[in-house]
Amino acid sequence: GIQVEQSPPDLILQEGANSTLRCNFSDSVNNLQWFHQNPWGQLINLFYIPSGTKQNGRLSATTVATERYSLLYISSSQTTDSGVYFCAVERVDMRFGAGTRLTVKP
Amino acid sequence: GAGVSQSPSNKVTEKGKDVELRCDPISGHTALYWYRQSLGQGLEFLIYFQGNSAPDKSGLPSDRFSAERTGGSVSTLTIQRTQQEDSAVYLCASSLARREQFFGPGTRLTVL
């Protein structure tokens, strides 16, 4: 099946810093989403982005489908951004990466 | 409803008992997914329903696991003869035909 790799596995930032999270996948996909899992376990949609670039406030994402990767940018990070960020891709079924655990310190 | 709901939020059971977990998807969403997340891990796909088509059961870990979706809406995930390794958070998501998935809060299952 399709492989999904996220990097880095862990990231610690000072409040106000910027960061880039990466998602590599091993085959062409029909669907790619980024999620944030907050400390209470709720998964929140960030972007549905099988290709192209989208922005939502301090967050933006870019997927280059031909090169099989996606990037999530977080600017001016806040403590509430802490949690785990998952990339998920769908070809036949939905596969999640292992996630990037982000800790933003005040 | 406004979002995906799941019940119960927590379930503690004894090894060998059967459990049923329920998912109410967003009204009008034709696709419904079940996932499992063990402590500190990523999400593991279990089963996918799309409209009236036969479900994709390729992720079910054993024949003790089954799921149904009645009337194209509510879904029930059943685990028979539970084992300790079944302990996890079970998450349900719904979407409009393989587009953005929206997740419920999950059911935390503990098998003693």
Side-chain angles (χ1 to χ4, degrees):
Chain A
I2 194 166
Q3 304 298 312
V4 185
E5 294 182 355
Q6 291 188 242
S7 59
D10 293 279
L11 186 58
I12 300 174
L13 298 176
Q14 208 64 37
E15 199 168 27
N18 303 328
S19 62
T20 301
L21 282 59
R22 187 177 179 104
C23 172
N24 292 334
F25 44 97
S26 61
D27 206 341
S28 60
V29 297
N30 307 313
N31 179 359
L32 188 148
Q33 287 187 255
W34 283 96
F35 295 92
H36 175 219
Q37 188 166 42
N38 65 23
W40 298 270
Q42 179 67 49
L43 276 157
I44 299 164
N45 266 320
L46 296 177
F47 294 102
Y48 169 76
I49 187 166
S51 64
T53 297
K54 290 186 177 179
Q55 179 153 8
N56 184 3
R58 296 181 296 104
L59 303 182
S60 63
T62 295
T63 297
V64 184
T66 52
E67 297 187 19
R68 300 179 184 166
Y69 73 89
S70 184
L71 302 174
L72 177 70
Y73 305 96
I74 305 174
S75 64
S76 305
S77 57
Q78 300 176 358
T79 56
T80 51
D81 295 333
S82 296
V84 182
Y85 289 80
F86 288 105
C87 166
V89 302
E90 186 169 25
R91 180 173 170 81
V92 176
D93 54 45
M94 199 78 169
R95 295 294 174 105
F96 279 71
T100 292
R101 182 173 298 277
L102 175 65
T103 303
V104 181
K105 296 190 171 182
Chain B
V4 179
S5 60
Q6 293 186 243
S7 60
S9 54
N10 280 284
K11 176 72 177 178
V12 180
T13 190
E14 294 179 348
K15 179 181 172 181
K17 295 285 179 69
D18 297 352
V19 295
E20 285 190 352
L21 312 180
R22 177 186 168 106
C23 172
D24 282 88
I26 293 172
S27 178
H29 278 191
T30 54
L32 187 148
Y33 303 75
W34 282 99
Y35 298 89
R36 177 169 71 174
Q37 187 175 30
S38 300
L39 188 63
Q41 302 297 311
L43 275 73
E44 174 189 5
F45 166 77
L46 297 178
I47 189 168
Y48 161 66
F49 295 89
Q50 173 59 55
N52 295 321
S53 303
D56 174 0
K57 303 179 181 181
S58 59
L60 294 178
S62 79
D63 59 8
R64 297 186 295 104
F65 288 72
S66 63
E68 62 178 20
R69 189 178 184 192
T70 54
S73 181
V74 171
S75 177
T76 302
L77 177 69
T78 300
I79 309 173
Q80 295 178 310
R81 305 181 303 282
T82 51
Q83 304 294 312
Q84 287 181 334
E85 60 263 28
D86 299 334
S87 295
V89 176
Y90 289 81
L91 291 156
C92 174
S94 71
S95 74
L96 280 170
R98 287 186 179 268
R99 287 186 58 88
E100 288 180 276
Q101 292 189 24
F102 294 87
F103 278 81
T107 293
R108 182 175 298 278
L109 175 66
T110 303
V111 182
L112 302 177

